[in-house]
Amino acid sequence: MNNSTLTADSIDVYNPDNYLQGIPHQQFAWLRENAPVFWHKHPDGGGYWVVSKHADVMQVARDHKTFSAQKGFVMVDDLPPDILERTQSQLLGMDPPDHGPIRRAVITHFTRGMLAALEPKVHNIARSVVESARDKTETDFIESLACELPTAVICSILDIPQDMWTQIRHWSDKQTAGSDPDLGGSDEEIQQASIDMGTYGFELAVERKASGGDDLICQLLESEVDGHTVSEVDFASLFVQLTVAGNETTRGLISSGMYELVQRPELYAELESTPAGLPTAIEEMLRWTCPLHYFRRTATCDTELAGCTIREGDRVVMMYSSANFDEDEFDNAMTFDIKRQHNPHMAFGYGIHLCLGANLARMEARLFFEEFFKNFSRIELNGEPSRIRSNNINGYKKMPVILTSR
Ligand code: HEM
């Protein structure tokens, strides 16, 4: 569909099928130009606001008083009350004052200094994931390479026994790919995965507390911030979030980032010979591949956004994968530029909920690509990759490749 042939009636950025070919750039471009805050129909009979411009997305993300994460959680589909209540014990689904103390207790373990200390550990994992694929030639990049790293890293940071890593990845995958028939499950299965994972997290907390050790879980359980002590129940919920939030997203960054490089052999060669360029290139991969299309807020009062009246209770969707291509913010927005200097992309959100794992994800991606370049002299596609069917998760589920090891 051509941008100029679109009309308000033809816009559909809800239907997951419309993401099967990637970000629906033409629809987003139309929205940014014609209706930057757009009332979109929802299949439940109601509607929601799609916010497509960078400045407006930032405005919503920044104003957590007017735009609540807690009132209706962060997904565009409303949740049944019992499930909504459960999300309100997650950082992602909390507003101040609940949000701050827990966020501060966790963030001290994800500072740049803490991450620098973790780097050798993450490097070893990246090396072993890449090396274990060395004897494969025709393989699926997602299954053999991109899948393993994020879960292995977070599990290793939390000192979780290795025989549980695959189980944790399966629980996590179930919860993120709901609308893809190949990946998701029934609502019951998805809920069960979340409950099983939370139960495991709770047991882990009880066990670690009793052990009186000094690992990250024990440190978290001992931390007291603003009078709030992280309890075993808080940890169970954090555990689910840390593993789920960093799993599909980091996998998406690595695999979609690799896909973009494979499409542009000259950029691949440039990074392979100059890995020092990776941090800047990874920012561009984040902008371009934007592993999460959106998160939602709910208006707490009547307000105005870009001249539109938003009513209390309205759903407001921050379309990160549109904001990242806003011509008013990015020069040559439709060019994949691995040397882009001004790159305030929204892939990690903004404001009080800014991704807590952002620097960890950046580090994982950098170490992964460094190790990949060291171990393989060539990667080619071996057929068309297929995308996850989702209006929220932006990534591939299969990417057949031919690898040549060094
Ligand atoms: C490329 C990888 C990643 C992407 C694109 C990503 C994206 C995001 C985004 C957009 C948000 C903002 C949510 C909002 O505003 O409602 C967020 C929050 C969060 N992310 Fe990430 N994430 C990534 C990796 C990770 C990793 C590795 C971890 C785990 C260590 C993680 C843990 C979290 C947590 C706990 C939050 C909630 C923070 C809060 O509400 O205060 N993420 N992420």
Side-chain angles (χ1 to χ4, degrees):
M1 219 182 310
N2 186 301
N3 198 356
S4 58
T5 62
L6 287 170
T7 61
D9 286 343
S10 60
I11 294 294
D12 183 354
V13 293
Y14 176 87
N15 186 346
D17 287 337
N18 292 341
Y19 293 80
L20 284 171
Q21 306 304 320
I23 297 173
H25 281 299
Q26 277 154 358
Q27 297 205 58
F28 285 159
W30 187 92
L31 286 169
R32 287 194 299 272
E33 196 180 330
N34 299 287
V37 178
F38 177 78
W39 184 250
H40 197 293
K41 281 196 207 118
H42 188 285
D44 65 12
Y48 65 100
W49 296 103
V50 175
V51 182
S52 51
K53 285 201 66 77
H54 190 276
D56 298 330
V57 169
M58 270 183 114
Q59 168 66 24
V60 174
R62 167 190 296 138
D63 185 357
H64 56 265
K65 288 203 179 82
T66 309
F67 300 105
S68 159
Q70 193 158 329
K71 227 176 152 176
F73 198 49
V74 295
M75 307 306 288
V76 65
D77 302 334
D78 283 335
L79 297 170
D82 55 328
I83 297 174
L84 177 62
E85 200 185 321
R86 219 180 303 144
T87 65
Q88 290 163 342
S89 65
Q90 300 181 14
L91 268 179
L92 207 54
M94 278 178 188
D95 290 339
D98 302 337
H99 177 262
I102 302 208
R103 165 115 185 166
R104 284 192 284 280
V106 186
I107 200 94
T108 51
H109 300 279
F110 286 85
T111 57
R112 281 185 196 276
M114 295 299 265
L115 288 180
L118 266 180
E119 179 158 340
K121 203 176 203 175
V122 178
H123 198 163
N124 278 339
I125 298 172
R127 188 180 298 123
S128 86
V129 166
V130 172
E131 283 176 358
S132 70
R134 272 183 65 89
D135 56 348
K136 298 184 176 149
T137 43
E138 294 194 18
T139 188
D140 175 21
F141 184 85
I142 311 290
E143 190 56 38
S144 299
L145 286 146
C147 260
E148 297 294 333
L149 186 65
T151 330
V153 166
I154 198 71
C155 287
S156 154
I157 293 175
L158 297 173
D159 287 303
I160 290 172
Q162 200 158 348
D163 59 5
M164 278 305 291
W165 294 5
T166 307
Q167 173 65 71
I168 288 170
R169 172 153 80 77
H170 289 321
W171 278 332
S172 172
D173 285 353
K174 267 265 171 297
Q175 291 172 71
T176 45
S179 52
D180 190 306
D182 295 342
L183 305 172
S186 64
D187 288 352
E188 291 73 32
E189 282 173 322
I190 296 168
Q191 283 314 310
Q192 197 54 49
S194 159
I195 292 166
D196 291 347
M197 205 171 183
T199 308
Y200 178 76
F202 182 79
E203 285 165 359
L204 209 56
V206 171
E207 187 190 295
R208 292 290 167 87
K209 200 164 187 178
S211 78
D214 190 34
D215 56 72
L216 177 56
I217 300 183
C218 293
Q219 290 172 26
L220 276 171
L221 289 166
E222 275 161 19
S223 48
E224 196 199 303
V225 182
D226 303 344
H228 182 99
T229 316
V230 176
S231 68
E232 288 87 336
V233 174
D234 290 334
F235 176 77
S237 160
L238 269 175
F239 169 70
V240 174
Q241 267 188 90
L242 290 173
T243 38
V244 175
N247 180 35
E248 191 71 64
T249 47
T250 314
R251 182 190 304 176
L253 167 62
I254 290 170
S255 45
S256 308
M258 181 60 94
Y259 176 82
E260 297 307 324
L261 290 182
V262 170
Q263 297 305 304
R264 299 167 178 82
E266 69 296 352
L267 299 187
Y268 184 100
E270 191 177 331
L271 282 175
E272 188 183 33
S273 61
T274 323
L278 274 168
T280 309
I282 287 167
E283 292 313 300
E284 183 67 343
M285 290 178 193
L286 281 159
R287 180 183 79 89
W288 189 267
T289 70
C290 198
L292 291 170
H293 289 294
Y294 81 88
F295 270 139
R296 159 204 171 170
R297 298 292 185 259
T298 306
T300 57
C301 55
D302 291 356
T303 187
E304 271 218 357
L305 184 66
C308 287
T309 304
I310 309 235
R311 299 278 172 215
E312 180 182 350
D314 280 356
R315 295 178 269 196
V316 179
V317 160
M318 301 174 281
M319 211 42 104
Y320 305 131
S321 57
S322 170
N324 281 1
F325 293 85
D326 187 342
E327 304 75 0
D328 288 341
E329 192 59 42
F330 300 96
D331 293 337
N332 301 317
M334 291 310 292
T335 304
F336 182 69
D337 174 4
I338 58 167
K339 292 199 170 117
R340 185 179 291 277
Q341 290 306 309
H342 174 73
N343 194 352
H345 63 75
M346 302 289 301
F348 290 125
Y350 186 77
I352 61 167
H353 293 280
L354 176 76
C355 178
L356 206 135
N359 288 329
L360 178 62
R362 289 175 165 122
M363 179 164 89
E364 285 181 43
R366 171 173 57 79
L367 294 169
F368 174 86
F369 280 104
E370 278 176 21
E371 281 303 318
F372 190 88
F373 293 147
K374 266 188 224 158
N375 279 276
F376 294 97
S377 58
R378 195 172 159 78
I379 172 170
E380 315 158 61
L381 288 182
N382 190 19
E384 267 308 298
S386 49
R387 288 187 163 274
I388 298 171
R389 179 182 180 276
S390 170
N391 59 19
N392 179 238
I393 307 266
N394 184 20
Y396 295 101
K397 57 184 171 187
K398 289 237 172 307
M399 193 189 296
V401 290
I402 302 175
L403 301 171
T404 313
S405 59
R406 290 196 191 275

